[in-house]
Amino acid sequence: MRNSFKIIAVAAAALTSTIGMAAESKQSFVHEGSTYVYTSTQEGGRQVIDGRRYPSGQKFHLIVRGDRVSGVSGGVPVAFKTAEANGAAGGIASVTR
């Protein structure tokens, strides 16, 4: 479970760095052998991030409100501060499409 949280935090770190960017196309990054493909939209003052982790195909849905991230990843509820995600961001290979 701890490893799952770290993966989600790393994903959120990469994803929350896109706040304020137009997100009409899919974006992706690679971390520890998994590729995360996602879209990010602004809805009502919050950032909504939807995507999948490959090769497993697990879905994730994250909502960023201020300094908090909450949502579901692989069917598991997650919640943490953006600062925790930013601290886990070391070693991400970024890939954009």
Side-chain angles (χ1 to χ4, degrees):
M1 185 64 154
R2 180 87 172 130
N3 193 33
S4 295
F5 173 77
K6 181 179 177 185
I7 291 169
I8 300 307
V10 169
L15 305 178
T16 58
S17 68
T18 64
I19 293 175
M21 293 175 54
E24 296 174 4
S25 63
K26 289 186 178 184
Q27 306 250 339
S28 66
F29 67 93
V30 176
H31 176 70
E32 293 184 353
S34 291
T35 301
Y36 295 80
V37 180
Y38 66 94
T39 59
S40 175
T41 57
Q42 292 290 323
E43 295 179 9
R46 62 189 185 163
Q47 182 181 18
V48 178
I49 303 163
D50 287 300
R52 288 186 180 265
R53 180 175 70 196
Y54 294 99
S56 70
Q58 287 186 325
K59 291 183 181 181
F60 58 89
H61 173 80
L62 303 172
I63 298 171
V64 182
R65 291 182 193 100
D67 68 343
R68 302 287 304 168
V69 179
S70 61
V72 177
S73 177
V76 178
V78 296
F80 48 91
K81 292 184 177 183
T82 56
E84 293 176 58
N86 291 334
I92 295 176
S94 180
V95 180
T96 57
R97 294 177 186 222

